[in-house]
């Protein structure tokens, strides 16, 4: 299957700092990428849909000024957690939409564990 | 919002046993996707289904797209310890957006 990478895999930062997470589709072009947040023992919660060359679409309750998304190319989307606070600590996972094959599929990155001290 | 009912929530089985889990919805789906997630990792796509009635295998895994388009099951035959993990169903609803609707997951434990 298609490969999606995420960097960094884990990050620890101080409260008030900003953290950038990169999501790359390595062997296919993705006009659409998604950013999820996952709490322990729960399913994935969609935060936003990232479309190449346009503004991201945020889910209800997700602060767009807090979670900045940029999808500058067909293989890269970035999520920046601005002025991070301990409550932002979580597991962040991206996915890339692949519609070039047989059907509409999403491939996920390995996730980024964010810890805000 | 859309709901996917995934069951069972958890399973404890012996190595070598077969496993079955399923997802149902009141809505019609155009796509069913089954993922496995290991601790601290992102979900990995196991099987993708795109047509009602479609039955697809991937090694010891078999999944089917229900004929009513409102359900799907995943079977694992002859389970092994590395099958341990959380299995999620997901799909695109008919007339819905590109966003996936997820089940809550089935946690599988395999005892050697």
């Amino acid at each position: 299957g298609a490969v999606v990478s995420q960097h960094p895999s884990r990050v620890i930062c101080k409260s008030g700092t900003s953290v950038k997470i990169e999501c790359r589709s390595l062997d296919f072009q993705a006009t659409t990428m998604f950013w999820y947040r996952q709490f322990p023992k729960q399913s994935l919660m969609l935060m936003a849909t990232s479309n190449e060359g346009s503004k991201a679409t945020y889910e209800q309750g997700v602060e767009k000024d807090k979670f900045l998304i940029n999808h500058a190319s067909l293989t890269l989307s970035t999520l920046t957690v601005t002025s991070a606070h301990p409550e932002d600590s979580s597991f962040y996972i991206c996915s890339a939409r692949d519609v070039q094959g047989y059907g509409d599929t999403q491939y996920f990155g390995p996730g980024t564990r964010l810890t805000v001290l | 919002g859309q709901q996917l009912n995934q069951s069972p929530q958890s399973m404890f089985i012996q190595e070598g046993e077969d496993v079955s889990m399923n997802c149902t919805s009141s809505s019609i789906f155009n796509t069913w996707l089954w993922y496995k997630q290991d601790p601290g990792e992102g979900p990995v796509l196991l099987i993708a289904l795109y047509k009602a009635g479609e039955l697809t295998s991937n090694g010891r895994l078999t999944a089917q797209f229900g004929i009513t388009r409102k359900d799907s099951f995943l079977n694992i035959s002859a389970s092994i310890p590395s099958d341990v993990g959380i299995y999620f169903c997901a799909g695109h609803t008919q007339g819905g957006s590109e966003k996936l609707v997820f089940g809550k997951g089935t946690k599988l434990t395999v005892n050697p």
Side-chain angles (χ1 to χ4, degrees):
Chain A
V3 180
V4 176
S5 70
Q6 240 178 284
H7 179 79
S9 58
R10 57 179 64 233
V11 56
I12 301 173
C13 68
K14 293 182 179 180
S15 184
T17 60
S18 294
V19 174
K20 180 186 283 189
I21 303 170
E22 293 186 348
C23 178
R24 294 180 185 273
S25 56
L26 298 185
D27 50 3
F28 67 103
Q29 293 182 333
T31 56
T32 306
M33 292 184 175
F34 302 87
W35 287 96
Y36 295 84
R37 185 172 179 177
Q38 188 175 36
F39 294 102
K41 300 184 179 181
Q42 293 190 21
S43 188
L44 285 75
M45 182 186 76
L46 180 65
M47 298 174 64
T49 301
S50 169
N51 293 296
E52 188 266 337
S54 64
K55 292 183 178 180
T57 303
Y58 291 82
E59 295 300 298
Q60 190 173 9
V62 178
E63 300 176 56
K64 62 180 181 180
D65 295 329
K66 172 77 170 176
F67 298 99
L68 300 179
I69 292 172
N70 183 277
H71 193 155
S73 77
L74 289 173
T75 59
L76 174 63
S77 176
T78 61
L79 168 68
T80 300
V81 183
T82 63
S83 187
H85 292 284
E87 58 265 30
D88 298 323
S89 298
S90 191
F91 192 52
Y92 293 87
I93 311 173
C94 72
S95 72
R97 184 185 184 202
D98 182 7
V99 295
Q100 299 166 24
Y102 184 58
D104 193 343
T105 307
Q106 280 187 35
Y107 295 93
F108 287 85
T112 297
R113 172 72 60 190
L114 171 63
T115 303
V116 184
L117 303 176
Chain B
Q2 300 289 347
Q3 291 283 333
L4 269 183
N5 300 308
Q6 185 171 351
S7 66
Q9 186 176 1
S10 62
M11 301 182 74
F12 297 84
I13 62 170
Q14 291 296 125
E15 182 177 358
E17 290 183 354
D18 297 341
V19 172
S20 184
M21 59 192 79
N22 69 85
C23 278
T24 62
S25 175
S26 58
S27 302
I28 291 175
F29 278 68
N30 288 334
T31 306
W32 285 99
L33 305 171
W34 284 93
Y35 294 91
K36 182 191 178 201
Q37 186 176 27
D38 292 328
E41 299 288 335
V44 173
L45 182 66
L46 299 174
I47 293 178
L49 303 162
Y50 301 109
K51 293 181 179 179
E54 183 178 357
L55 181 70
T56 298
S57 293
N58 178 7
R60 294 178 294 106
L61 278 62
T62 302
Q64 185 160 31
F65 193 139
I67 199 70
T68 64
R69 299 174 64 188
K70 294 182 179 181
D71 65 303
S72 176
F73 71 74
L74 173 70
N75 288 343
I76 305 174
S77 63
S79 58
I80 59 178
S82 62
D83 290 334
V84 165
I86 299 178
Y87 292 79
F88 289 101
C89 63
H92 295 102
T93 57
Q94 182 185 46
S97 71
E98 57 202 349
K99 297 186 288 188
L100 281 177
V101 178
F102 279 87
K104 293 188 175 182
T106 296
K107 183 177 181 180
L108 178 63
T109 302
V110 180
N111 297 313

